[in-house]
Amino acid sequence: MMSRDREPRPVFRLPWRTTRALERDFDEELAFHRDMRFRDLLGRGIAPDVARAMVDAETGDIEAARRDVVTSDRRADAATERRHVIDQLFQEARHAARRVRAQRGFALMSVATLALGLGACLLMFNVVAAVLLSPLPYRDEQRVIMVWQYVPSLDLGDREQPLGGQELRLMHTTVPSFQAVTGFRPRALNLGSGADVERLDGIEATGEFFDVLGVRPELGRFFTRNDEVPRGDRPVVISDGLWRRRFGADPAIIGRALTLDANRFVVTAVAPPGFAFPRGPEMPAAFAFPPRADAWIPIAPPRGGPDELAVAARLTPSATLAEARHELDGVRDAMLRIYPQGKGFFGTLAVPLRTQLIGQSDRLVLSLLAAVGMLLVIACVNAAQLQLAQLHRRRREHAMRAALGAPAWRSLLGSVLDVLIVSLLAGTAGTALAAAGFRVVREQLADRFPLVANASFDSRTVIVAVLVTTAVGLVAGLAPGLVTAREPLADSLRGTGRGVAGRAGAERVRRALIVVELTLAIALVTMAGLLGKSLTRQVRSELGFTAPHGITFDVTLPISRYPERQGPTYMEHPLGAAFITAALERIRATPGVDAAAMGKPLPLSGSQEFSVFSAEGLPTPSGGTLRGADYTFASDGLFRALGTAILAGRDFTSVDREDGLPVVIVNHSMAKWLWPGQSAIGKRIKLGGLTNGGAWMTVVGEVADLKRYALTDTTRPEMIVPYTQRPYPSFATLQFVIRSRLTPAELRSAMQRAIGQVDPTVAVSHMSTIDELIDDASTSARFAAGWMSVFGASALLLAMIGLYGVIAYSVLERRQEFGVRRALGASTGQIIGLVLREASVLCAVGAAIGLVVAFGGGEAMRSFLYGVSAYDAPTLLGAILALLAAAVAAGVAPAWRAARVEPKTALEG
Amino acid sequence: MDLLQGTLDLLVLRALTWGPMHGYDASRWIHDRTGGVLVVEYAPLYKALHRLERDGCVTGKWGVSENGRRARYYRLTQRGRARLKSEDADWRRYAGAVFRVLEPA
């Protein structure tokens, strides 16, 4: 150890001596010795041949000695080399740490820049990991598929339509690819009664529901096909959440009797924690599945009645999706034979479960991931810029070291270590930033993307963080290092940077880098602008209803007490209708309520009803398929309560009783579609085909189009019928809308009181303001636009910092030139203009290339854009102006400094 | 007279306290100093030198000899000096002990 301090450290040595070289050394050493001895002996007058013999005798066993020396020298060499390299690494690391400390401002800026880029990247990676890479909590999830009916000839918005009990029974028997198959639908339940009544979101499912999903109960046993037909007490499976909330996690819950919708059920199982299949946001809107179910009850595949089952199936281990699809075509053909007319137009759609659950969100998060990738590149370029400036400042030192024989790799190593230290700090800060950001994301997306709601900031992200951080350090450190390493030594040694070739080279690289930065920045700003504009367009779009003071809530009638009856052409709900009439009376009588109505489904409530119909006097469309339109059943006053304009005719009134003239109200799209250029009032339509025995309904009103499902919907034809005449298809869950200046809290108790007076077993649920509904409907858009703006603004800021660095440095380098200009009479304004022009030129080049990138980005995001083109000129212009402003802002300070250069500087050297 | 086991390192280190020298000089020095009693064979000598170099007791460097030939010069390091000191003391104690045994009582 001591020797290391005393002995001169070799600046450079061959890292390795070969065996040959070692042998040669040894031989040469020995030969020298023998020769000296030989001469010595000769000098004493000994005869040459005697002398040679003596030398040989004195030498000893050369071969053994050589072997010994060479092998152990080799080993020692290797060890020394290792120690040497490690020593040098430590030495460089110490130097690097010292340099970073000495340049605290520079380091802080690099760390902040990289932390921002890395943080954004890790955040989005974690979101991607949560949404796309996390396994679903179902056994062999890739074997689980969803099966839908789709109706190719109709525009139904959602492609996925429900199937009926008949199809389900056929699938049980004629689809060998299915190991298990189940049909399920939402079923709201009222638990308990009186003041204690609680509305539960439930699911009715056929026996193989849990077999399809492959989950195990936390307690008890799940129902099977044997439980489909009730024998004695009916089984119910409750969620882990309900078990803990309502029953205090009672381990003796199994076998406990519950009153659901005034019927006796027995708890047979508790679902595992987190299990809530199917979740509303992951299923097509038409099904109105609740956000998370709390109870599951078995049903037999329904006979007759409307199709309203969602179907899921588990494939056998050997079956492929293609085989399943082929066999499902057989089901369609069989149905065709049973219903040659009625169902002739349907097909089946088989979708892997994961695709179903994720939907379009993969494209959204991947777009954002691409965006943060760009941000990271900008951050790297900035770090590289800073490093380049740093190296440029230190090029004299480097040149000196090189001249003294330091190998190029040591300079490079130093440069890489500088950035590695910086990037490690940045990686730590970035990871913290990303973890904090993810908490925000989870908050924002919890309702919409349950996969994100359950995700944490996970270890994969940390691994990626380490890898990316290191890679960034290597790239940002190596690239500038390589550039400087190529600089001619003499130029660098001259030092002041007036060596033309060297400066021009480095300058070119810096300019190219800043153009890359500006290019990406403008692309990001443009994409943020597009998404922002799209969001504005969405929430300001013509909704067809108004938000202020609007409040909606649900009420679920227990089917057992409000039985449906198969009427001649539709389901009859006499008790349900009476409930609505009585409830509306009470609600309207509540002080503070300005207007109230029932409508199902209400706009943005996440559900959809649809019906085929025929119009009097219009030919059936070619191909024999029927026309279809959205279907709403409503009370009078719905349009007043929603703030929807009645364009012609009248609202429903008390005249529209069951025994009165059957009436219907159509929306503007429907009127325009069926009777263009004519008044719709007085025209007649009927549900189903022309030969259907149902009654003709006379159009009595035309109303403005309503945005029903999503803010981005193009409005579709819709018919609205009075609940007093055509209650189709189900009254199970009713929706009310009221206008009131009361707070939601005041309203909740007032409404529960009003409803309770009509029926104490019925609960008010899902109360929300119309503003909240609009917010929920724009979750994805707000998420995308919000984060993209954050990323865009960061990109702009980073580009500004980068541009500032380049301009400031260039001004510093050209001090003398400015001095000369000043001496020759250039005004302050002229010099400022000169510098700003430099910034603007860079900016213009960046903008030109950036727009091309932005076009690509806009194209990729097309499906998220609403009411704004991917090539929206104002947005592009805005992005360019923002960038120009940033460029000028970045250039002003250096320009001012340039203008203040004293003319005498021209004489300095 | 052949060398006793383990004494070669000591002799070489001692020789090098006179300054950097090549193997031949070292062997001459030992030879002259002992009046030609101790003869160092070349092969073991170079084994010893390389071993000492590996141990960090000497450093070897190629240089040019007085007669203009390439020769490897060895120089004592700090560690070599320390080693010499301790081996010197060991040897003296050992030799003293042997003398005392041989001394007529």
Side-chain angles (χ1 to χ4, degrees), chain A residues 120-121 123-125 127-128 131-132 358-376 520 523-528 530-531 780-781 783-785 787-789 791-792 853-865:
Chain A
C121 242
L123 168 64
M124 285 322 295
F125 175 80
V127 174
V128 167
V131 175
L132 304 182
I358 289 165
Q360 278 236 316
S361 44
D362 58 338
R363 300 199 41 200
L364 183 71
V365 293
L366 287 177
S367 297
L368 285 171
L369 189 63
V372 294
M374 290 193 207
L375 190 61
L376 183 61
L520 294 175
L524 277 179
V525 170
T526 308
M527 295 201 294
L530 287 175
L531 286 174
S780 295
F783 175 75
W787 283 103
M788 196 62 108
S789 328
F791 301 150
V853 180
F855 283 154
E859 198 60 41
M861 297 189 313
R862 187 182 277 280
S863 60
F864 313 126
L865 296 181

Side-chain angles (χ1 to χ4, degrees), chain A residues 271 391 536 720 780:
Chain A
L391 285 178
T536 318
I720 303 107
S780 295

Side-chain angles (χ1 to χ4, degrees), chain A residues 341-383:
Chain A
Q341 272 109 48
K343 287 193 162 183
F345 45 79
F346 95 106
T348 48
L349 205 61
V351 190
L353 183 63
R354 177 173 279 274
T355 313
Q356 185 73 45
L357 300 192
I358 289 165
Q360 278 236 316
S361 44
D362 58 338
R363 300 199 41 200
L364 183 71
V365 293
L366 287 177
S367 297
L368 285 171
L369 189 63
V372 294
M374 290 193 207
L375 190 61
L376 183 61
V377 172
I378 294 179
C380 280
V381 168
N382 251 3

Side-chain angles (χ1 to χ4, degrees), chain A residues 6 25 28-30 32-37 40 44 57-61 65 68-69 72-73 76, chain B residues 22-24 27-28 41-47 50 54 62 65-67 69-72 74-75 78:
Chain A
R6 297 285 177 91
D25 270 12
E28 190 174 348
E29 219 177 343
L30 206 67
F32 170 76
H33 192 129
R34 285 164 57 94
D35 198 41
M36 294 294 281
R37 176 68 175 149
D40 180 41
R44 297 181 196 194
E58 286 171 11
T59 300
D61 188 351
D68 188 70
V69 164
S72 32
D73 272 9
Chain B
H22 43 68
Y24 177 68
S27 74
R28 291 311 309 156
E41 280 192 336
Y42 314 164
L45 171 67
Y46 285 97
K47 262 167 78 169
H50 281 251
R54 281 197 303 276
W62 286 99
S65 75
E66 53 280 11
N67 62 357
R69 289 193 50 177
R70 215 164 92 88
R72 199 143 198 268
Y74 293 89
R75 186 156 71 130
Q78 200 64 40

Side-chain angles (χ1 to χ4, degrees), chain A residues 269-315:
Chain A
V270 175
F275 180 84
F277 186 88
R279 294 171 198 263
E282 295 170 336
M283 292 282 134
F287 289 80
F289 280 116
R292 46 186 313 132
D294 272 327
W296 294 264
I297 57 178
I299 52 163
R303 291 181 188 276
D307 296 340
E308 52 185 19
L309 293 179
V311 172
R314 170 171 291 273
L315 300 180

Side-chain angles (χ1 to χ4, degrees), chain A residues 635-909:
Chain A
S635 73
D636 61 305
L638 176 66
F639 306 112
R640 190 165 98 79
L642 282 174
T644 305
I646 298 180
L647 303 175
R650 64 166 175 91
D651 190 2
F652 300 129
T653 67
S654 52
V655 195
D656 305 317
R657 287 197 306 268
E658 191 166 9
D659 52 357
L661 172 77
V663 295
V664 62
I665 292 174
V666 297
N667 73 352
H668 181 61
S669 296
M670 178 118 165
K672 214 170 50 186
W673 174 40
L674 295 177
W675 306 288
Q678 304 173 43
S679 165
I681 310 298
K683 300 284 194 296
R684 301 207 302 171
I685 59 176
K686 73 155 70 172
L687 300 182
L690 281 171
T691 53
N692 185 328
W696 284 103
M697 304 183 291
T698 305
V699 177
V700 294
E702 178 187 333
V703 296
D705 290 338
L706 289 167
K707 282 280 167 65
R708 289 223 137 263
Y709 315 110
L711 300 173
T712 52
D713 275 346
T714 50
T715 48
R716 304 207 303 260
E718 175 182 356
M719 49 190 156
I720 303 107
V721 299
Y723 74 93
T724 45
Q725 294 185 335
R726 290 288 178 279
Y728 164 97
S730 168
F731 267 26
T733 294
L734 301 169
Q735 294 177 306
F736 288 85
V737 54
I738 56 183
R739 291 274 157 187
S740 170
R741 281 161 204 282
L742 298 180
T743 64
E746 290 166 338
L747 267 177
R748 180 178 294 281
S749 51
M751 290 303 103
Q752 184 60 63
R753 254 195 321 277
I755 297 291
Q757 282 166 8
V758 182
D759 185 335
T761 68
V762 173
V764 167
S765 68
H766 299 132
M767 185 173 275
S768 65
T769 65
I770 293 184
D771 274 322
E772 288 166 351
L773 292 181
I774 294 175
D775 263 11
D776 284 354
S778 55
T779 300
S780 295
R782 272 183 301 129
F783 175 75
W787 283 103
M788 196 62 108
S789 328
V790 170
F791 301 150
S794 308
L796 208 56
L797 183 71
L798 292 187
M800 213 167 107
I801 294 174
L803 194 58
Y804 169 81
V806 168
I807 304 282
Y809 194 73
S810 139
V811 164
L812 204 64
E813 293 274 277
R814 289 164 64 193
R815 273 172 65 81
Q816 213 185 7
E817 177 200 328
F818 290 126
V820 171
R821 282 175 189 270
R822 292 280 285 166
L824 293 177
S827 71
T828 305
Q830 279 172 321
I831 299 223
I832 290 181
L834 197 70
V835 175
L836 288 187
R837 204 154 41 241
E838 185 185 340
S840 313
V841 166
L842 288 174
C843 199
V845 176
I849 309 171
L851 286 188
V852 178
V853 180
F855 283 154
E859 198 60 41
M861 297 189 313
R862 187 182 277 280
S863 60
F864 313 126
L865 296 181
Y866 172 77
V868 51
S869 133
Y871 309 99
D872 187 58
T875 306
L876 293 177
L877 201 65
I880 293 173
L881 288 179
L883 199 66
L884 268 179
V888 170
V892 160
W896 181 247
R897 234 174 289 139
R900 297 295 299 259
V901 170
E902 294 285 326
K904 72 175 181 343
T905 310
L907 304 175
E908 291 171 359

